[in-house]
Amino acid sequence: MKDQNNQQQQALKQIKAEINQQTSSRSPLPTHNEWQTGDVIGILKLPTLHKELPIIEGTDENDLAKGVGHYAASALPNEKNQILLSGHRDTVFRKVGELKIGDRLLYQTKEATYDYTIYRTYIVKSNNNHVIRDTSPEEILTLSTCYPFYFVGNAPDRYIIEAKPSPSQKSSQ
């Protein structure tokens, strides 16, 4: 657990340095083929929980040890489709059950910060793959984690949070 926390802190430090370095020269957001599994691609900010979490490309155990995993087959911000992020319930997503409808989620990249508002939460069985879907032309940021939150062992369900671009975000894109 301590090693995972160190990996997360390292990943967060890395992306913050890259964001600070990038502020003077804005380039287009990289496409999917420019990211490699394990790359730190952004920061997920949960203002209600006062958390900043590194977003890692990929969702295998090594990626999730470093932070929140971006499901590689899903979209990136501003691509007008589903963006799927996953994280462990006992590390990065420990308190996501405290988030409520109307709370904000911020997805920060080197190029911009994208603002989303939670509009729905629900629970599905762990083998339910319908959560992963095409939402085009609607952009939806989806967070997924195991549920129940304090279950010991392989949890039977998944807790899902869905958020849409905030009204101010829509007008600025």
Side-chain angles (χ1 to χ4, degrees), residues 121-169:
T121 63
Y122 57 100
I123 297 164
V124 298
K125 290 291 179 197
S126 63
N127 62 353
N128 182 333
N129 291 330
H130 297 292
V131 170
I132 304 168
R133 66 193 189 283
D134 184 336
T135 62
S136 178
E138 189 171 31
E139 186 164 311
I140 296 178
L141 174 59
T142 303
L143 306 184
S144 172
T145 193
C146 294
Y147 186 85
F149 297 118
Y150 298 103
F151 192 84
V152 177
N154 292 332
D157 299 318
R158 298 292 176 262
Y159 186 77
I160 309 298
I161 296 175
E162 292 185 340
K164 293 182 179 177
S166 298
S168 60
Q169 181 78 11

CSV table of all heavy atoms in Angstrom, one decimal, residues 121-169:
chain,number,residue,atom,x,y,z
A,121,THR,N,-25.3,8.3,-10.5
A,121,THR,CA,-24.5,7.2,-9.9
A,121,THR,C,-25.4,6.0,-9.9
A,121,THR,O,-26.6,6.1,-9.7
A,121,THR,CB,-24.0,7.6,-8.5
A,121,THR,OG1,-25.2,7.7,-7.6
A,121,THR,CG2,-23.2,8.9,-8.4
A,122,TYR,N,-24.7,4.8,-10.0
A,122,TYR,CA,-25.5,3.6,-10.0
A,122,TYR,C,-24.5,2.4,-9.7
A,122,TYR,O,-23.3,2.6,-9.8
A,122,TYR,CB,-26.3,3.3,-11.2
A,122,TYR,CG,-25.6,3.4,-12.5
A,122,TYR,CD1,-25.2,2.2,-13.2
A,122,TYR,CD2,-25.3,4.6,-13.2
A,122,TYR,CE1,-24.6,2.2,-14.4
A,122,TYR,CE2,-24.6,4.6,-14.4
A,122,TYR,CZ,-24.2,3.4,-15.0
A,122,TYR,OH,-23.6,3.4,-16.2
A,123,ILE,N,-25.1,1.2,-9.5
A,123,ILE,CA,-24.3,0.0,-9.2
A,123,ILE,C,-24.7,-1.1,-10.2
A,123,ILE,O,-25.9,-1.2,-10.5
A,123,ILE,CB,-24.6,-0.5,-7.7
A,123,ILE,CG1,-24.1,0.6,-6.7
A,123,ILE,CG2,-23.9,-1.8,-7.4
A,123,ILE,CD1,-24.7,0.5,-5.3
A,124,VAL,N,-23.7,-1.8,-10.7
A,124,VAL,CA,-24.0,-2.9,-11.6
A,124,VAL,C,-23.1,-4.1,-11.1
A,124,VAL,O,-22.2,-4.0,-10.3
A,124,VAL,CB,-23.5,-2.5,-13.1
A,124,VAL,CG1,-24.4,-1.4,-13.6
A,124,VAL,CG2,-22.1,-2.2,-13.2
A,125,LYS,N,-23.5,-5.2,-11.7
A,125,LYS,CA,-22.7,-6.4,-11.4
A,125,LYS,C,-21.3,-6.3,-12.0
A,125,LYS,O,-21.1,-5.6,-13.0
A,125,LYS,CB,-23.4,-7.7,-11.9
A,125,LYS,CG,-24.7,-8.0,-11.2
A,125,LYS,CD,-24.3,-8.5,-9.8
A,125,LYS,CE,-25.5,-8.9,-8.9
A,125,LYS,NZ,-25.1,-8.9,-7.5
A,126,SER,N,-20.3,-6.9,-11.4
A,126,SER,CA,-18.9,-6.8,-11.9
A,126,SER,C,-18.8,-7.3,-13.3
A,126,SER,O,-17.9,-6.8,-14.0
A,126,SER,CB,-18.0,-7.5,-11.0
A,126,SER,OG,-18.3,-8.9,-11.0
A,127,ASN,N,-19.6,-8.2,-13.8
A,127,ASN,CA,-19.5,-8.7,-15.2
A,127,ASN,C,-20.3,-7.9,-16.2
A,127,ASN,O,-20.4,-8.3,-17.3
A,127,ASN,CB,-19.8,-10.2,-15.2
A,127,ASN,CG,-21.3,-10.5,-14.8
A,127,ASN,OD1,-22.0,-9.6,-14.4
A,127,ASN,ND2,-21.7,-11.7,-14.9
A,128,ASN,N,-20.9,-6.8,-15.8
A,128,ASN,CA,-21.8,-6.0,-16.6
A,128,ASN,C,-20.9,-5.1,-17.5
A,128,ASN,O,-20.3,-4.1,-17.0
A,128,ASN,CB,-22.7,-5.2,-15.8
A,128,ASN,CG,-23.7,-4.4,-16.7
A,128,ASN,OD1,-23.4,-4.0,-17.8
A,128,ASN,ND2,-24.8,-4.0,-16.1
A,129,ASN,N,-20.7,-5.4,-18.8
A,129,ASN,CA,-19.9,-4.6,-19.7
A,129,ASN,C,-20.7,-3.5,-20.4
A,129,ASN,O,-20.1,-2.8,-21.2
A,129,ASN,CB,-19.2,-5.6,-20.7
A,129,ASN,CG,-18.2,-6.4,-20.1
A,129,ASN,OD1,-17.6,-6.1,-19.0
A,129,ASN,ND2,-18.0,-7.6,-20.6
A,130,HIS,N,-22.0,-3.4,-20.1
A,130,HIS,CA,-22.8,-2.4,-20.8
A,130,HIS,C,-22.4,-1.0,-20.3
A,130,HIS,O,-22.7,0.0,-20.9
A,130,HIS,CB,-24.3,-2.6,-20.5
A,130,HIS,CG,-24.7,-3.9,-21.1
A,130,HIS,ND1,-24.8,-4.1,-22.4
A,130,HIS,CD2,-25.1,-5.0,-20.5
A,130,HIS,CE1,-25.2,-5.3,-22.7
A,130,HIS,NE2,-25.4,-5.9,-21.5
A,131,VAL,N,-21.6,-0.9,-19.2
A,131,VAL,CA,-21.1,0.4,-18.8
A,131,VAL,C,-20.2,1.0,-19.8
A,131,VAL,O,-20.1,2.2,-20.0
A,131,VAL,CB,-20.4,0.3,-17.4
A,131,VAL,CG1,-19.7,1.5,-17.0
A,131,VAL,CG2,-21.4,-0.1,-16.3
A,132,ILE,N,-19.4,0.2,-20.5
A,132,ILE,CA,-18.5,0.6,-21.5
A,132,ILE,C,-19.3,0.7,-22.8
A,132,ILE,O,-19.7,-0.3,-23.3
A,132,ILE,CB,-17.3,-0.4,-21.7
A,132,ILE,CG1,-16.6,-0.6,-20.4
A,132,ILE,CG2,-16.4,0.1,-22.8
A,132,ILE,CD1,-15.6,-1.8,-20.4
A,133,ARG,N,-19.5,1.9,-23.3
A,133,ARG,CA,-20.4,2.1,-24.4
A,133,ARG,C,-20.0,3.4,-25.2
A,133,ARG,O,-19.3,4.3,-24.7
A,133,ARG,CB,-21.8,2.2,-24.0
A,133,ARG,CG,-22.1,3.4,-23.1
A,133,ARG,CD,-23.5,3.2,-22.5
A,133,ARG,NE,-23.9,4.5,-21.8
A,133,ARG,CZ,-23.5,4.9,-20.7
A,133,ARG,NH1,-22.5,4.2,-20.0
A,133,ARG,NH2,-23.9,6.0,-20.1
A,134,ASP,N,-20.5,3.4,-26.4
A,134,ASP,CA,-20.4,4.6,-27.3
A,134,ASP,C,-21.5,5.6,-26.9
A,134,ASP,O,-22.7,5.2,-26.8
A,134,ASP,CB,-20.6,4.1,-28.7
A,134,ASP,CG,-20.4,5.3,-29.7
A,134,ASP,OD1,-20.6,6.5,-29.3
A,134,ASP,OD2,-20.2,5.0,-30.9
A,135,THR,N,-21.1,6.8,-26.5
A,135,THR,CA,-22.1,7.8,-26.1
A,135,THR,C,-22.1,8.9,-27.1
A,135,THR,O,-22.8,9.9,-26.9
A,135,THR,CB,-21.8,8.3,-24.7
A,135,THR,OG1,-20.5,9.0,-24.7
A,135,THR,CG2,-21.8,7.2,-23.7
A,136,SER,N,-21.4,8.8,-28.2
A,136,SER,CA,-21.3,9.8,-29.2
A,136,SER,C,-22.7,10.2,-29.7
A,136,SER,O,-23.6,9.4,-29.9
A,136,SER,CB,-20.5,9.3,-30.4
A,136,SER,OG,-20.4,10.2,-31.4
A,137,PRO,N,-22.9,11.5,-29.9
A,137,PRO,CA,-22.0,12.6,-29.8
A,137,PRO,C,-22.0,13.3,-28.5
A,137,PRO,O,-21.4,14.3,-28.3
A,137,PRO,CB,-22.7,13.6,-30.8
A,137,PRO,CG,-24.1,13.4,-30.7
A,137,PRO,CD,-24.3,11.9,-30.4
A,138,GLU,N,-22.5,12.6,-27.5
A,138,GLU,CA,-22.5,13.1,-26.1
A,138,GLU,C,-21.2,12.7,-25.4
A,138,GLU,O,-20.9,11.5,-25.4
A,138,GLU,CB,-23.7,12.6,-25.3
A,138,GLU,CG,-23.9,13.3,-24.0
A,138,GLU,CD,-25.3,13.0,-23.4
A,138,GLU,OE1,-25.8,11.9,-23.6
A,138,GLU,OE2,-25.8,13.8,-22.7
A,139,GLU,N,-20.5,13.6,-24.8
A,139,GLU,CA,-19.3,13.3,-24.0
A,139,GLU,C,-19.8,13.0,-22.6
A,139,GLU,O,-20.4,13.8,-21.9
A,139,GLU,CB,-18.4,14.5,-24.0
A,139,GLU,CG,-17.1,14.2,-23.4
A,139,GLU,CD,-16.0,15.2,-23.7
A,139,GLU,OE1,-15.8,15.5,-24.9
A,139,GLU,OE2,-15.3,15.7,-22.8
A,140,ILE,N,-19.4,11.8,-22.1
A,140,ILE,CA,-19.7,11.4,-20.7
A,140,ILE,C,-18.4,10.9,-20.1
A,140,ILE,O,-17.7,10.1,-20.6
A,140,ILE,CB,-20.8,10.4,-20.6
A,140,ILE,CG1,-22.1,10.9,-21.2
A,140,ILE,CG2,-20.9,9.8,-19.2
A,140,ILE,CD1,-23.2,9.9,-21.2
A,141,LEU,N,-18.0,11.5,-18.9
A,141,LEU,CA,-16.9,11.0,-18.1
A,141,LEU,C,-17.5,10.0,-17.1
A,141,LEU,O,-18.4,10.3,-16.3
A,141,LEU,CB,-16.3,12.2,-17.4
A,141,LEU,CG,-15.1,11.8,-16.4
A,141,LEU,CD1,-14.0,11.1,-17.1
A,141,LEU,CD2,-14.6,13.1,-15.7
A,142,THR,N,-17.0,8.8,-17.2
A,142,THR,CA,-17.5,7.7,-16.4
A,142,THR,C,-16.3,7.2,-15.5
A,142,THR,O,-15.2,6.9,-15.9
A,142,THR,CB,-17.9,6.5,-17.3
A,142,THR,OG1,-18.9,6.9,-18.2
A,142,THR,CG2,-18.5,5.4,-16.4
A,143,LEU,N,-16.6,7.2,-14.2
A,143,LEU,CA,-15.7,6.6,-13.2
A,143,LEU,C,-16.3,5.3,-12.7
A,143,LEU,O,-17.5,5.1,-12.5
A,143,LEU,CB,-15.6,7.5,-12.0
A,143,LEU,CG,-15.2,9.0,-12.2
A,143,LEU,CD1,-15.0,9.7,-10.8
A,143,LEU,CD2,-14.0,9.1,-13.0
A,144,SER,N,-15.4,4.3,-12.6
A,144,SER,CA,-15.8,2.9,-12.2
A,144,SER,C,-14.9,2.4,-11.1
A,144,SER,O,-13.6,2.5,-11.2
A,144,SER,CB,-15.8,2.0,-13.4
A,144,SER,OG,-16.0,0.7,-13.1
A,145,THR,N,-15.4,1.8,-10.1
A,145,THR,CA,-14.7,1.2,-9.1
A,145,THR,C,-15.4,0.0,-8.5
A,145,THR,O,-16.6,-0.1,-8.7
A,145,THR,CB,-14.3,2.2,-7.9
A,145,THR,OG1,-13.3,1.6,-7.1
A,145,THR,CG2,-15.5,2.6,-7.1
A,146,CYS,N,-14.7,-0.9,-7.8
A,146,CYS,CA,-15.4,-2.0,-7.2
A,146,CYS,C,-16.3,-1.6,-6.0
A,146,CYS,O,-16.1,-0.6,-5.4
A,146,CYS,CB,-14.3,-3.0,-6.6
A,146,CYS,SG,-13.3,-3.8,-7.9
A,147,TYR,N,-17.3,-2.4,-5.8
A,147,TYR,CA,-18.3,-2.1,-4.8
A,147,TYR,C,-18.8,-3.5,-4.2
A,147,TYR,O,-18.9,-4.4,-5.0
A,147,TYR,CB,-19.5,-1.4,-5.4
A,147,TYR,CG,-20.5,-0.9,-4.5
A,147,TYR,CD1,-20.3,0.3,-3.8
A,147,TYR,CD2,-21.7,-1.6,-4.2
A,147,TYR,CE1,-21.3,0.8,-2.9
A,147,TYR,CE2,-22.6,-1.2,-3.3
A,147,TYR,CZ,-22.4,0.0,-2.6
A,147,TYR,OH,-23.3,0.4,-1.7
A,148,PRO,N,-19.2,-3.6,-3.0
A,148,PRO,CA,-19.2,-2.5,-1.9
A,148,PRO,C,-17.8,-2.1,-1.6
A,148,PRO,O,-16.8,-2.8,-1.8
A,148,PRO,CB,-19.8,-3.2,-0.7
A,148,PRO,CG,-20.4,-4.5,-1.2
A,148,PRO,CD,-19.7,-4.8,-2.5
A,149,PHE,N,-17.7,-0.8,-1.1
A,149,PHE,CA,-16.4,-0.2,-0.9
A,149,PHE,C,-15.5,-0.9,0.1
A,149,PHE,O,-14.3,-0.9,0.0
A,149,PHE,CB,-16.6,1.3,-0.5
A,149,PHE,CG,-17.3,2.1,-1.5
A,149,PHE,CD1,-18.5,2.7,-1.3
A,149,PHE,CD2,-16.7,2.3,-2.8
A,149,PHE,CE1,-19.1,3.5,-2.3
A,149,PHE,CE2,-17.3,3.0,-3.8
A,149,PHE,CZ,-18.5,3.6,-3.5
A,150,TYR,N,-16.2,-1.5,1.2
A,150,TYR,CA,-15.4,-2.1,2.2
A,150,TYR,C,-15.4,-3.7,2.2
A,150,TYR,O,-15.2,-4.3,3.1
A,150,TYR,CB,-15.9,-1.6,3.6
A,150,TYR,CG,-15.6,-0.1,3.7
A,150,TYR,CD1,-16.7,0.8,3.5
A,150,TYR,CD2,-14.4,0.4,3.9
A,150,TYR,CE1,-16.5,2.1,3.6
A,150,TYR,CE2,-14.1,1.7,3.9
A,150,TYR,CZ,-15.2,2.6,3.8
A,150,TYR,OH,-15.0,3.9,3.8
A,151,PHE,N,-15.7,-4.2,1.0
A,151,PHE,CA,-15.8,-5.6,0.8
A,151,PHE,C,-14.4,-6.2,0.8
A,151,PHE,O,-13.5,-5.6,0.2
A,151,PHE,CB,-16.5,-5.9,-0.6
A,151,PHE,CG,-16.8,-7.3,-0.8
A,151,PHE,CD1,-18.0,-7.8,-0.3
A,151,PHE,CD2,-16.0,-8.2,-1.5
A,151,PHE,CE1,-18.4,-9.2,-0.5
A,151,PHE,CE2,-16.4,-9.5,-1.7
A,151,PHE,CZ,-17.6,-10.0,-1.2
A,152,VAL,N,-14.2,-7.3,1.5
A,152,VAL,CA,-12.9,-8.0,1.5
A,152,VAL,C,-12.9,-9.0,0.4
A,152,VAL,O,-13.7,-9.9,0.3
A,152,VAL,CB,-12.6,-8.6,2.8
A,152,VAL,CG1,-11.2,-9.3,2.8
A,152,VAL,CG2,-12.6,-7.6,3.9
A,153,GLY,N,-11.9,-9.0,-0.5
A,153,GLY,CA,-11.8,-9.9,-1.6
A,153,GLY,C,-12.3,-9.3,-2.9
A,153,GLY,O,-12.5,-8.1,-3.0
A,154,ASN,N,-12.6,-10.1,-3.9
A,154,ASN,CA,-13.2,-9.7,-5.2
A,154,ASN,C,-14.6,-9.2,-5.0
A,154,ASN,O,-15.5,-10.0,-4.7
A,154,ASN,CB,-13.1,-10.8,-6.2
A,154,ASN,CG,-11.6,-11.1,-6.6
A,154,ASN,OD1,-10.8,-10.2,-6.5
A,154,ASN,ND2,-11.4,-12.3,-7.0
A,155,ALA,N,-14.8,-7.9,-5.2
A,155,ALA,CA,-16.2,-7.4,-5.0
A,155,ALA,C,-17.1,-7.8,-6.1
A,155,ALA,O,-16.7,-7.9,-7.3
A,155,ALA,CB,-16.1,-5.8,-5.0
A,156,PRO,N,-18.4,-8.1,-5.8
A,156,PRO,CA,-19.3,-8.6,-6.8
A,156,PRO,C,-19.9,-7.5,-7.7
A,156,PRO,O,-20.5,-7.9,-8.7
A,156,PRO,CB,-20.4,-9.2,-5.9
A,156,PRO,CG,-20.4,-8.4,-4.6
A,156,PRO,CD,-18.9,-8.1,-4.4
A,157,ASP,N,-19.7,-6.3,-7.3
A,157,ASP,CA,-20.4,-5.2,-8.1
A,157,ASP,C,-19.4,-4.1,-8.4
A,157,ASP,O,-18.2,-4.1,-8.0
A,157,ASP,CB,-21.5,-4.6,-7.2
A,157,ASP,CG,-22.6,-5.6,-6.9
A,157,ASP,OD1,-23.0,-6.4,-7.7
A,157,ASP,OD2,-23.1,-5.5,-5.7
A,158,ARG,N,-19.9,-3.1,-9.3
A,158,ARG,CA,-19.1,-2.0,-9.6
A,158,ARG,C,-20.0,-0.7,-9.3
A,158,ARG,O,-21.2,-0.7,-9.6
A,158,ARG,CB,-18.7,-1.9,-11.1
A,158,ARG,CG,-17.9,-3.1,-11.5
A,158,ARG,CD,-16.5,-3.0,-11.0
A,158,ARG,NE,-15.7,-4.2,-11.3
A,158,ARG,CZ,-15.5,-5.2,-10.5
A,158,ARG,NH1,-16.0,-5.3,-9.3
A,158,ARG,NH2,-14.7,-6.2,-10.9
A,159,TYR,N,-19.3,0.3,-8.8
A,159,TYR,CA,-20.0,1.6,-8.5
A,159,TYR,C,-19.6,2.5,-9.6
A,159,TYR,O,-18.4,2.7,-10.0
A,159,TYR,CB,-19.5,2.1,-7.2
A,159,TYR,CG,-20.2,3.4,-6.7
A,159,TYR,CD1,-21.5,3.3,-6.2
A,159,TYR,CD2,-19.6,4.6,-6.8
A,159,TYR,CE1,-22.1,4.5,-5.8
A,159,TYR,CE2,-20.2,5.8,-6.4
A,159,TYR,CZ,-21.5,5.7,-5.9
A,159,TYR,OH,-22.1,6.9,-5.5
A,160,ILE,N,-20.6,3.1,-10.3
A,160,ILE,CA,-20.4,3.9,-11.5
A,160,ILE,C,-20.8,5.3,-11.2
A,160,ILE,O,-21.9,5.6,-10.6
A,160,ILE,CB,-21.2,3.3,-12.7
A,160,ILE,CG1,-21.0,1.8,-12.8
A,160,ILE,CG2,-20.9,4.2,-13.9
A,160,ILE,CD1,-19.6,1.5,-13.2
A,161,ILE,N,-20.0,6.3,-11.6
A,161,ILE,CA,-20.4,7.7,-11.6
A,161,ILE,C,-20.3,8.2,-13.0
A,161,ILE,O,-19.3,8.0,-13.7
A,161,ILE,CB,-19.4,8.5,-10.7
A,161,ILE,CG1,-19.5,8.0,-9.2
A,161,ILE,CG2,-19.6,10.0,-10.8
A,161,ILE,CD1,-18.4,8.6,-8.3
A,162,GLU,N,-21.3,9.0,-13.4
A,162,GLU,CA,-21.3,9.6,-14.7
A,162,GLU,C,-21.4,11.1,-14.6
A,162,GLU,O,-22.2,11.6,-13.8
A,162,GLU,CB,-22.4,9.0,-15.6
A,162,GLU,CG,-22.2,7.5,-15.9
A,162,GLU,CD,-23.2,6.9,-16.9
A,162,GLU,OE1,-24.3,7.5,-17.0
A,162,GLU,OE2,-22.9,5.9,-17.5
A,163,ALA,N,-20.6,11.8,-15.4
A,163,ALA,CA,-20.6,13.2,-15.4
A,163,ALA,C,-20.6,13.7,-16.8
A,163,ALA,O,-20.0,13.1,-17.7
A,163,ALA,CB,-19.4,13.7,-14.6
A,164,LYS,N,-21.3,14.9,-17.0
A,164,LYS,CA,-21.3,15.5,-18.3
A,164,LYS,C,-20.5,16.8,-18.2
A,164,LYS,O,-20.4,17.4,-17.2
A,164,LYS,CB,-22.7,15.8,-18.7
A,164,LYS,CG,-23.6,14.6,-19.0
A,164,LYS,CD,-25.0,15.0,-19.4
A,164,LYS,CE,-25.8,13.7,-19.7
A,164,LYS,NZ,-27.2,14.0,-20.1
A,165,PRO,N,-20.1,17.3,-19.4
A,165,PRO,CA,-19.4,18.6,-19.4
A,165,PRO,C,-20.3,19.7,-18.7
A,165,PRO,O,-21.5,19.7,-18.9
A,165,PRO,CB,-19.2,19.0,-20.9
A,165,PRO,CG,-19.1,17.6,-21.5
A,165,PRO,CD,-20.1,16.8,-20.8
A,166,SER,N,-19.7,20.5,-17.8
A,166,SER,CA,-20.4,21.5,-17.1
A,166,SER,C,-20.9,22.6,-18.1
A,166,SER,O,-20.2,22.7,-19.2
A,166,SER,CB,-19.5,22.2,-16.1
A,166,SER,OG,-19.2,21.2,-15.1
A,167,PRO,N,-22.0,23.3,-17.8
A,167,PRO,CA,-22.5,24.3,-18.8
A,167,PRO,C,-21.4,25.3,-19.2
A,167,PRO,O,-21.3,25.6,-20.4
A,167,PRO,CB,-23.6,25.0,-18.0
A,167,PRO,CG,-24.1,23.9,-17.1
A,167,PRO,CD,-22.8,23.1,-16.7
A,168,SER,N,-20.6,25.7,-18.3
A,168,SER,CA,-19.5,26.7,-18.6
A,168,SER,C,-18.5,26.0,-19.5
A,168,SER,O,-17.9,26.7,-20.4
A,168,SER,CB,-18.8,27.2,-17.4
A,168,SER,OG,-18.2,26.1,-16.7
A,169,GLN,N,-18.3,24.7,-19.4
A,169,GLN,CA,-17.3,24.0,-20.3
A,169,GLN,C,-17.9,23.9,-21.7
A,169,GLN,O,-17.1,24.2,-22.6
A,169,GLN,CB,-17.2,22.5,-19.7
A,169,GLN,CG,-16.2,21.7,-20.5
A,169,GLN,CD,-14.8,22.0,-20.2
A,169,GLN,OE1,-14.4,22.7,-19.3
A,169,GLN,NE2,-13.9,21.5,-21.1
